[in-house]
Amino acid sequence: MHYLTLSELSILLRTKAISPVELVKHMLNRINALDPQLESYVTVTAQRALEQADRAEREIGSGRWRGPLHGVPLAYKDIFYTDFALTTAGTAIHKSFQPTYSATAVRRLEAAGAVSLGKLKTTEQAWTEHHPTVAAPKNPWGAELYAGASSSGSGVATAAGLTFGALGSDTGGSIRFPSAVNGVTGLKPTWGRVSRHGVFELAASLDHVGPMTRSAVDCAIMLGAIAGADPADPTAVHDSVEDYQAAALRSVAGMRIGLPRAYATEGVDPGIVAVWQAAAKVFEDLGAIVEEFSFPEWRNAASTWPILCSSETALTHAATYPSKSESYGSALSALIDLGRSSTAMDLASAHHARLEFSSRLRAKFSNLDVILVPVTIWPTPTTAATADILQMSPLEDLLRFTCVFDSTGSPTLTLPGGFDDRGAPMAIQLIGAHFDEAAVLQAGAAFQRATDWHSRHSRHFP
């Protein structure tokens, strides 16, 4: 039961084949049994979950079905404000912060009938490393494997059957890396598609909010609930919200899928390239028009992304850094120091690089519907090796498939695409035109109907 997709579960709840109350009891028991090993949750809101499940059972029983999320247990990265639980953002400075309201995305999910299981671990303020006082989540495919960046708690809990979906966030890759290494499906919507109201910022113009689930259809369902304008967030756009679930059921026959061969293969591990090529063949077999094209020059946009991110992060923390710098971990401190030391000229140059790359990428979608690329340049590393990789490889190479699409604000979908010879997940990524989440979900769901990578689970947590 705990490994059903959200969409499969929804049917069983609506037809009363599964009791919401019994389901939540099962999930709470599983969290209690397994999360001491996986360490994905910060807080489990058991009483609230049981009360919401009881309400859902009564409403569904009386014919008042709210939609496909009604009675479905979900959880939230601990940067999302919740008026029913602390929101620590993985920090020491906010370790006792109790919001008086919930984030718009959380409120919308609960209004759709979702059951809130609790809050999931994040790295310190959604940057690269956990605060020294916080134990990092463990990858369910192997405790020695890297569990991803800041949305690691969301990736681990979803992969291990401790929730049916989660909210994550992405500034440089933090939905995509945890989705890739934990073998789940993660959607980074277009910047502005989902309200960021009530979400701790890392770098406001780069931060994206999105769902992490076990299928593209599940992402479509969650996006349909959280997308749309929000008076509390002036950056949430007023563009119409499509029926993403319906879009995910459409064929990809005739869809134009671009392959940027040099960008996707040069300096990339051969195993990653093989997964990317195999995915392209799947799309071709499904009737898509798969064609190679010249990708825009990306290195300048990638190499200047740290200037954008660090400058905005320094602004976010101006009230507490450096005045409370002793409460910060070393990685977040280093990022803020970089931002505080950057000049106006540095920032202007980075901004120009961002605009130029964004314009050149946007032009490619006049002839393409989606672009297929990897997520990482390397197979899932061990946690021990991650620090060495970060020191030895230029950041623009490590983030080449992620940060540039935060700079552009493009929608992306990360999908399981295979396994390496250790049994660790490997992933592919689909990039779409602005506000065309429907296209990446359409392509991703078609890929998952033709493959079963997304339905496999770790033998360590049956």
Side-chain angles (χ1 to χ4, degrees):
M1 183 162 59
H2 45 268
Y3 279 135
L4 291 170
T5 65
L6 187 159
S7 44
E8 292 168 338
L9 177 66
S10 178
I11 295 170
L12 296 174
L13 288 167
R14 187 181 187 184
T15 58
K16 304 170 196 172
I18 289 180
S19 153
V21 173
E22 292 307 309
L23 172 65
V24 167
K25 288 180 179 178
H26 172 77
M27 295 301 288
L28 292 173
N29 287 338
R30 184 171 173 82
I31 293 167
N32 186 59
L34 300 182
D35 206 51
Q37 301 171 60
L38 292 166
E39 301 192 80
S40 62
Y41 277 85
V42 180
T43 304
V44 178
T45 52
Q47 188 60 41
R48 184 179 185 83
L50 288 167
E51 290 171 357
Q52 290 175 323
D54 180 67
R55 185 183 310 116
E57 189 156 319
R58 287 184 279 108
E59 289 176 346
I60 294 171
S62 64
R64 291 182 292 152
W65 187 64
R66 299 195 205 180
L69 290 172
H70 204 174
V72 174
L74 301 176
Y76 318 116
K77 182 177 180 177
D78 198 30
I79 61 170
F80 289 84
Y81 285 23
T82 47
D83 61 9
F84 53 85
L86 296 177
T87 302
T88 72
T91 68
I93 56 173
H94 298 302
K95 66 181 180 181
S96 301
F97 176 58
Q98 175 58 68
T100 57
Y101 62 91
S102 292
T104 298
V106 172
R107 287 193 297 101
R108 288 178 175 175
L109 290 171
E110 290 198 326
V115 172
S116 296
L117 289 174
K119 309 295 289 294
L120 297 163
K121 282 186 180 177
T122 176
T123 52
E124 188 179 13
Q125 198 87 15
W127 183 230
T128 56
E129 295 182 7
H130 290 270
H131 190 273
T133 61
V134 177
K138 307 296 189 297
N139 190 318
W141 295 91
E144 77 286 358
L145 296 174
Y146 178 53
S150 73
S151 301
S152 53
S154 298
V156 168
T158 303
L162 304 185
T163 181
F164 291 92
L167 286 178
S169 70
D170 193 305
T171 307
S174 290
I175 284 175
R176 288 162 290 171
F177 289 136
S179 294
V181 300
N182 289 291
V184 300
T185 303
L187 176 68
K188 181 186 79 67
T190 310
W191 191 85
R193 173 60 86 189
V194 178
S195 170
R196 293 177 295 109
H197 176 63
V199 183
F200 270 115
E201 289 181 355
L202 178 61
S205 76
L206 298 167
D207 293 347
H208 298 64
V209 168
M212 298 170 67
T213 67
R214 288 197 281 274
S215 77
V217 174
D218 291 0
C219 279
I221 291 171
M222 286 187 68
L223 179 63
I226 63 178
D230 178 12
D233 179 3
T235 68
V237 300
H238 288 258
D239 292 45
S240 60
V241 176
E242 296 186 51
D243 185 342
Y244 299 115
Q245 189 175 3
L249 300 178
R250 295 198 290 257
S251 166
V252 293
M255 176 175 269
R256 299 166 301 175
I257 298 179
L259 302 181
R261 180 164 298 277
Y263 175 60
T265 63
E266 292 177 2
V268 180
D269 180 87
I272 298 288
V273 173
V275 166
W276 173 74
Q277 292 172 323
K281 181 65 165 58
V282 170
F283 283 116
E284 193 171 39
D285 291 344
L286 290 171
I289 301 168
V290 179
E291 56 191 56
E292 294 190 19
F293 75 104
S294 178
F295 195 73
E297 169 51 43
W298 56 273
R299 286 194 177 275
N300 198 25
S303 64
T304 56
W305 173 88
I307 301 298
L308 297 170
C309 182
S310 62
S311 299
E312 293 191 12
T313 302
L315 178 63
T316 298
H317 290 267
T320 54
Y321 192 96
S323 61
K324 298 182 180 179
S325 59
E326 71 281 357
S327 297
Y328 282 72
S330 59
L332 184 56
S333 293
L335 180 69
I336 297 172
D337 288 339
L338 173 63
R340 289 172 63 86
S341 66
S342 298
T343 67
M345 294 279 282
D346 294 332
L347 191 56
S349 177
H351 180 61
H352 290 166
R354 179 184 197 176
L355 291 176
E356 180 179 351
F357 178 77
S358 296
S359 180
R360 293 186 185 282
L361 180 67
R362 189 180 307 115
K364 297 299 180 181
F365 288 103
S366 62
N367 297 311
L368 298 170
D369 295 306
V370 296
I371 295 170
L372 175 66
V373 298
V375 181
T376 62
I377 63 171
W378 30 252
T380 304
T382 63
T383 301
T386 302
D388 291 337
I389 290 173
L390 288 172
Q391 290 179 354
M392 293 171 59
S393 302
L395 193 61
E396 59 262 35
D397 282 337
L398 294 176
L399 302 182
R400 67 194 284 180
F401 299 126
T402 56
C403 73
V404 293
F405 303 117
D406 288 298
S407 289
T408 62
S410 307
T412 74
L413 184 70
T414 296
L415 306 159
F419 294 88
D420 65 19
D421 56 10
R422 302 165 300 164
M426 303 173 81
I428 58 169
Q429 182 181 195
L430 296 166
I431 317 300
H434 276 205
F435 301 106
D436 198 4
E437 288 80 8
V440 296
L441 290 165
Q442 176 185 351
F447 178 82
Q448 291 182 332
R449 287 192 294 272
T451 62
D452 70 348
W453 305 118
H454 66 293
S455 64
R456 302 191 190 187
H457 310 294
S458 170
R459 61 181 175 80
H460 302 296
F461 297 93

